[in-house]
Amino acid sequence: MKTGGGDLEAARAEANRIFASAIKNQAISERDRTYLGQIVIARTGMPEAEAQSRVDAAIAEARDLELKARQQVDKARKATVITAFIAGVSLLISLAAAIVAAGAGARHRDENRIPTFAGHRFW
């Protein structure tokens, strides 16, 4: 395996595809794991066992990051539901207040009297 600029970019692109597939499928094939190990060996010259352990660590880190991302998405989804519920409730309370105010205004208009609240004039 060459480590020139073009080959390196192609290897990185392939490694990215392998990691994306591993995260999506929540599994990595032994063939892909071996290929990633060969890339590490070609780039660093380290022993095969150490390269494979580095690949395994990278895969575990990718899975952990994916799990954390899913947890953050779940938290955001729950916060959105709560926010929407609070907005809906506040709209219903506003609707009730508007209905009561419209009724009071209609009585004021029909009876031609000054509106009061708790025995005091509003204006």
Side-chain angles (χ1 to χ4, degrees), residues 23-24 26 61-71:
I23 289 171
K24 180 181 176 186
Q26 297 185 353
E61 182 180 357
R63 286 183 181 150
D64 289 343
L65 290 174
E66 187 253 347
L67 179 62
K68 287 178 184 177
R70 286 184 187 272
Q71 290 171 346

Side-chain angles (χ1 to χ4, degrees), residues 11-112:
R12 282 185 179 171
E14 183 64 22
N16 286 337
R17 285 190 290 275
I18 290 171
F19 274 105
S21 174
I23 289 171
K24 180 181 176 186
N25 300 328
Q26 297 185 353
I28 186 167
S29 70
E30 190 61 34
R31 180 178 169 202
D32 288 340
R33 186 175 165 273
T34 303
Y35 176 74
L36 290 173
Q38 290 172 352
I39 292 174
V40 172
I41 291 169
R43 288 279 298 144
T44 63
M46 66 176 54
E48 184 177 349
E50 189 176 339
Q52 287 300 330
S53 67
R54 185 178 280 192
V55 168
D56 292 339
I59 292 169
E61 182 180 357
R63 286 183 181 150
D64 289 343
L65 290 174
E66 187 253 347
L67 179 62
K68 287 178 184 177
R70 286 184 187 272
Q71 290 171 346
Q72 292 297 322
V73 167
D74 193 42
K75 285 172 92 174
R77 186 181 308 121
K78 288 176 183 177
T80 301
V81 168
I82 290 170
T83 302
F85 178 76
I86 290 171
V89 168
S90 68
L91 286 173
L92 288 175
I93 291 171
S94 300
L95 172 68
I99 290 171
V100 169
R107 274 194 310 279
H108 165 57
R109 181 197 62 216
D110 293 344
E111 297 172 2
N112 198 17

